């Protein structure tokens, strides 16, 4: 029960001060004045003896503990040679220990993500801190420049007609696109060790493609209504870091296939690899409350000349090809279930090394001056023990990503010349975007991933046709350009007269007559009868329908020539 007495301070009126506690045996006599007292220095004097006792008995105590826990005697054994071989791989400086720099390589190879998300500036700094650790002391680094010229809005069909502006200006309709005028980081120095993600796997030979970032990361494909990329992992980490020099919101796994980053060994000698790269990535440009806006480059084509141990880089470049009239696919939401698409042209989007890599020390200064033009290195003078041409390497990457490219597709006018020489029909596809890159529209993607890539259709195309795909704009340019002959203009006009947005397939006679044509959207719409396979038909209905379309063109041509 609580006391009702008022608390008072010692020395004040009221309760006397409490008696001080006495040591055991202390009778508070004057004899205690001469009693020895225990001081802190006594404990310090005993500390070495205590530590020696503990250290001496720790092994015995540990063995007794292991025995009580049922573990028996602690095993003593030699580490197997294969395990030691792996240890030596990661022990880069051969000091018998795994330091933090070496441990981060283990983390990367185990495909463990160290980042929660990559969708904000702080998490992006974490990614850069991770890759910057590869620079390390006394290792080589390479300075990479980033250049970007914004998309020309006039190349978008949405803004070619001034009437479109009645619904709002570009900065109102497409805020993220309009605001992206410069690169996120114009210059950065990376340790050359980061680039070993591009090295060929063991056993890969010249001309054999391989994935740097796998095309089929299950569950990591972004959806349309997503603002930020998932946390990068494995080889994605460095790819995310270097591509974020363009824009921080980069997705190294795309919504639509073919996905991933692919490479092929073009050449090798005793010291260097020459590697050709193709990367399919995309950016999401908007922030809330605006709906997501997806900006998808046709591809990033790259080349890397790197030593076999990734300690030195002679040359690096990765850029958006600009040979086509359109090279960017765009798709954005205008409501919860509504979206728009368009295609445009970006004049420049490039990463490149300003010079070969150099050894970095604590005193190394990195120049932040961007050169006026890309330098030319003497790597062209390198001799190779085994090589294929750059064009051959590019084709090998194309065929890996797009099986339909096993059939050659020629430019529009060249296809007619070849058809006349080989006495074949022209299988022509005219479309809004490109058939063999990521700027392709949805129905075009379905065609190339489906019937154009199946064996029966490819065999028929190889045997009876010369194939071609063309941008609508390129065919229009033939008609409007005075450098083309009247006969060439007629060929273009006949095909353009049969074109319907967005993708039109045609079987054309060598003289330009369109024998049969079909819009992709119509072809993709299958009737109930067409979707019903008989027990003897194992081919997909869409593939069967496309083959019949081609055979109809052959029949019409043969009936005309009888």
């Amino acid at each position: 029960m609580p006391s009702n007495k008022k608390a008072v301070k010692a020395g004040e009126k009221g309760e006397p001060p409490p008696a001080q506690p006495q040591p055991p045996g202390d009778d508070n006599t004057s004899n205690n004045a001469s009693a020895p007292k225990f001081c802190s220095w006594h404990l310090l004097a005993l500390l070495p003896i205590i530590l020696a006792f503990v250290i001496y008995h720790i092994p015995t105590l540990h063995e007794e503990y292991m025995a009580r826990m049922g573990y028996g005697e602690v095993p003593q054994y030699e580490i197997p040679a294969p395990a030691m071989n792996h240890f030596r791989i990661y022990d880069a400086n051969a000091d018998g220990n795994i330091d933090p720099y070496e441990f981060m390589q283990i983390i990367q190879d185990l495909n463990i993500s160290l980042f929660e998300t990559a969708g904000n500036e702080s998490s992006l700094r974490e990614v850069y801190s991770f890759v910057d650790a590869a620079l390390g002391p006394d290792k080589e680094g390479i300075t990479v420049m980033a250049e970007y010229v914004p998309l020309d809005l006039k190349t978008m069909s949405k803004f070619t007609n001034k009437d479109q502006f009645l619904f709002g200006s570009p900065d109102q309709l497409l805020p993220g696109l309009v605001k992206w005028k410069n690169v996120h980081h114009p210059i950065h120095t990376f340790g050359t060790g980061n680039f070993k993600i591009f090295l060929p796997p063991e056993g890969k030979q010249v001309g054999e493609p391989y994935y740097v970032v796998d095309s089929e990361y299950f569950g990591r494909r972004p959806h349309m209504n997503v603002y930020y990329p998932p946390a990068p992992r494995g080889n994605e980490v460095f790819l995310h870091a270097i591509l974020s020099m363009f824009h921080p919101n980069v997705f190294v796994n795309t919504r639509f296939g073919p996905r991933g980053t692919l490479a092929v060994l073009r050449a090798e000698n005793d010291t260097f690899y020459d590697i050709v790269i193709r990367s399919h990535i995309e950016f999401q440009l908007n922030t809330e409350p605006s709906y997501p806006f997806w900006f998808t480059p046709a591809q990033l084509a790259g080349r890397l000349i790197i030593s076999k141990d990734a300690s030195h880089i002679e040359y690096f470049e990765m850029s958006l090809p600009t040979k086509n009239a359109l090279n960017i696919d765009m798709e954005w939401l205008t409501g919860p279930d509504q979206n728009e698409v368009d295609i445009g042209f970006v004049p420049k989007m490039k990463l490149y090394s300003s010079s070969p890599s150099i050894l970095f020390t604590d005193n190394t200064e990195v120049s932040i001056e961007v050169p006026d033009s890309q330098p030319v290195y003497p790597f062209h003078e390198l001799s190779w023990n085994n090589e294929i041409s750059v064009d051959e390497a590019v084709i090998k990457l194309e065929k890996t990503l797009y099986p339909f490219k096993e059939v050659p597709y020629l430019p529009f006018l060249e296809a007619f010349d070849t058809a006349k020489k080989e006495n074949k029909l022209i299988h022509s596809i005219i479309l809004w975007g490109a058939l063999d890159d990521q700027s392709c529209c949805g129905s075009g993607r379905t065609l190339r991933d489906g019937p154009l890539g199946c064996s029966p259709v490819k065999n028929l195309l190889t045997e009876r046709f010369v194939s071609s795909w063309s941008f609508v704009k390129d065919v229009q340019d033939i008609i409007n350009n005075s450098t083309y002959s009247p006969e060439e203009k007629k060929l273009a006009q006949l095909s353009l007269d049969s074109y319907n947005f967005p993708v039109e397939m045609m079987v054309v006679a060598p003289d330009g007559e369109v024998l049969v044509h079909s819009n992709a959207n119509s072809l993709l719409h299958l009737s109930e009868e067409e979707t019903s396979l008989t027990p003897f038909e194992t081919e997909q209905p869409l593939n069967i329908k496309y083959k019949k379309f081609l055979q109809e063109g052959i029949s019409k041509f043969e009936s005309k020539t009888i």
Side-chain angles (χ1 to χ4, degrees):
M1 183 174 180
S3 172
N4 292 325
K5 293 181 180 180
K6 181 180 179 181
V8 292
K9 296 180 180 179
E12 293 182 348
K13 291 182 180 180
E15 293 294 320
Q20 295 298 320
Q22 299 297 324
D26 190 355
D27 57 0
N28 202 27
T29 63
S30 60
N31 294 334
N32 291 326
S34 61
K37 295 183 179 180
F38 189 82
C39 299
S40 59
W41 63 268
H42 289 92
L43 181 60
L44 291 174
L46 292 172
L47 187 58
I49 300 173
I50 296 171
L51 288 175
F53 176 84
V54 171
I55 292 171
Y56 178 80
H57 285 281
I58 277 178
T60 303
L61 293 172
H62 177 67
E63 290 176 4
E64 291 177 356
Y65 170 79
M66 296 291 286
R68 285 198 305 270
M69 296 301 293
Y71 294 115
E73 186 177 351
V74 180
Q76 301 292 330
Y77 57 87
E78 293 184 2
I79 298 177
M84 282 304 301
N85 291 337
H86 283 285
F87 177 84
R88 293 188 187 99
I89 290 173
Y90 290 105
D91 183 20
N93 57 6
D95 64 350
N97 297 291
I98 299 295
D99 63 33
Y101 294 106
E102 295 162 343
F103 181 71
M104 283 198 293
Q105 182 57 49
I106 297 175
I107 291 292
Q108 181 172 342
D109 289 352
L110 288 176
N111 207 24
I112 297 173
S113 177
L114 304 178
F115 318 101
E116 293 182 0
T117 179
N120 56 62
E121 193 64 31
S122 63
S123 62
L124 190 57
R125 283 196 296 269
E126 292 180 4
V127 173
Y128 268 98
S129 297
F130 180 82
V131 300
D132 286 347
L135 191 56
D138 299 321
K139 295 182 179 179
E140 289 198 7
I142 187 163
T143 300
V144 176
M145 309 289 186
E147 296 181 1
Y148 171 73
V149 176
L151 183 136
D152 183 359
L153 294 176
K154 294 179 181 179
T155 61
M156 296 176 63
S157 62
K158 186 174 185 64
F159 299 116
T160 53
N161 188 337
K162 291 184 178 180
D163 292 341
Q164 297 284 358
F165 286 90
L166 296 175
F167 302 100
S169 63
D171 56 342
Q172 292 173 321
L173 297 173
L174 313 172
L177 177 64
V178 174
K179 290 178 182 176
W180 187 15
K181 297 183 181 298
N182 300 296
V183 295
H184 185 235
H185 289 304
I187 184 171
H188 195 87
T189 299
F190 297 98
T192 59
N194 288 300
F195 288 80
K196 66 182 174 183
I197 68 169
F198 297 108
L199 295 181
E202 186 176 355
K204 282 292 181 182
Q205 304 298 318
V206 169
E208 295 180 355
Y210 54 92
Y211 277 97
V212 176
V213 169
D214 199 336
S215 63
E216 296 298 335
Y217 266 156
F218 179 74
R220 292 174 60 77
R221 303 171 189 171
H223 300 288
M224 184 66 187
N225 195 18
V226 170
Y227 288 91
Y228 303 113
R233 65 189 188 189
N235 288 353
E236 292 178 339
V237 175
F238 177 60
L239 197 63
H240 180 96
I242 195 169
L243 293 176
S244 66
M245 292 180 70
F246 291 126
H247 190 284
N249 224 16
V250 58
F251 286 70
V252 297
N253 282 286
T254 56
R255 293 165 300 145
F256 304 108
R259 302 170 181 84
T261 295
L262 197 64
V264 63
L265 183 58
R266 189 201 74 81
E268 67 171 333
N269 58 26
D270 294 340
T271 306
F272 287 102
Y273 288 132
D274 185 349
I275 299 169
V276 175
I277 304 164
R278 177 165 178 157
S279 186
H280 290 178
I281 52 99
E282 58 190 347
F283 302 87
Q284 196 291 112
L285 304 185
N286 279 355
T287 56
E288 296 181 279
S290 299
Y291 288 108
F293 182 98
W294 292 92
F295 180 98
T296 308
Q299 61 163 299
L300 292 182
R303 191 169 176 194
L304 172 67
I305 298 182
I306 184 172
S307 64
K308 291 185 173 182
D309 62 357
S311 63
H312 177 78
I313 293 175
E314 192 68 18
Y315 177 83
F316 171 72
E317 180 186 353
M318 210 167 183
S319 61
L320 171 67
T322 55
K323 64 178 181 179
N324 291 333
L326 301 168
N327 58 8
I328 298 291
D329 179 72
M330 290 161 283
E331 186 172 6
W332 63 97
L333 292 172
T334 57
D337 299 310
Q338 298 175 324
N339 71 301
E340 289 193 38
V341 295
D342 210 329
I343 300 178
F345 180 76
V346 165
K348 179 182 286 188
M349 190 175 189
K350 177 190 290 187
L351 297 170
Y352 64 94
S353 54
S354 59
S355 63
S357 62
I358 60 172
L359 183 67
F360 270 68
T361 65
D362 293 339
N363 298 323
T364 302
E365 293 185 3
V366 179
S367 172
I368 60 172
E369 183 177 341
V370 178
D372 294 333
S373 61
Q374 184 175 343
V376 177
Y377 302 142
F379 74 82
H380 298 290
E381 301 174 4
L382 292 174
S383 60
W384 304 102
N385 299 337
N386 190 13
E387 65 178 313
I388 60 175
S389 69
V390 174
D391 288 342
E392 287 178 293
V394 168
I395 291 173
K396 286 181 179 294
L397 293 177
E398 280 187 350
K399 289 182 178 180
T400 302
L401 291 166
Y402 304 103
F404 84 92
K405 289 300 292 283
E406 292 174 7
V407 174
Y409 280 76
L410 303 180
F412 184 82
L413 293 176
E414 185 179 339
F416 283 92
D417 292 338
T418 304
K420 291 174 184 176
K421 294 175 183 176
E422 299 182 2
N423 194 28
K424 291 183 177 180
L425 297 174
I426 296 97
H427 164 239
S428 177
I429 300 176
I430 299 178
L431 68 166
W432 192 31
L435 193 61
D436 57 4
D437 65 35
Q438 296 302 86
S439 66
C440 189
C441 57
S443 55
R445 286 194 293 266
T446 304
L447 279 179
R448 73 187 185 193
D449 296 341
L452 294 181
C454 77
S455 295
V457 171
K458 287 191 294 186
N459 292 339
L460 182 58
L461 290 175
T462 301
E463 181 182 351
R464 301 297 302 268
F465 294 89
V466 172
S467 292
S468 171
W469 75 261
S470 310
F471 284 103
V472 178
K473 186 177 185 304
D474 288 345
V475 181
Q476 292 171 335
D477 287 345
I478 295 173
I479 298 171
N480 299 325
N481 195 321
S482 59
T483 60
Y484 292 101
S485 68
E487 292 78 12
E488 292 171 331
K489 290 176 180 289
K490 179 182 177 182
L491 294 175
Q493 188 64 62
L494 289 171
S495 291
L496 202 59
D497 288 344
S498 297
Y499 171 77
N500 292 288
F501 180 86
V503 182
E504 193 79 13
M505 296 83 62
M506 309 174 192
V507 174
V508 187
D511 63 359
E513 180 187 357
V514 177
L515 301 168
V516 292
H517 64 96
S518 176
N519 188 265
N521 291 334
S522 301
L523 186 83
L524 297 177
H525 180 73
L526 298 172
S527 65
E528 185 175 347
E529 180 181 355
E530 290 170 329
T531 57
S532 301
L533 293 174
T534 69
F536 304 102
E537 292 177 321
T538 58
E539 189 60 68
Q540 293 295 319
L542 184 57
N543 300 349
I544 295 172
K545 188 173 182 179
Y546 202 90
K547 189 176 180 181
K548 289 180 178 178
F549 163 74
L550 295 174
Q551 289 169 334
E552 181 183 356
I554 294 173
S555 298
K556 283 197 173 184
F557 181 72
E558 290 177 344
S559 64
K560 286 171 59 68
T561 56
I562 294 177

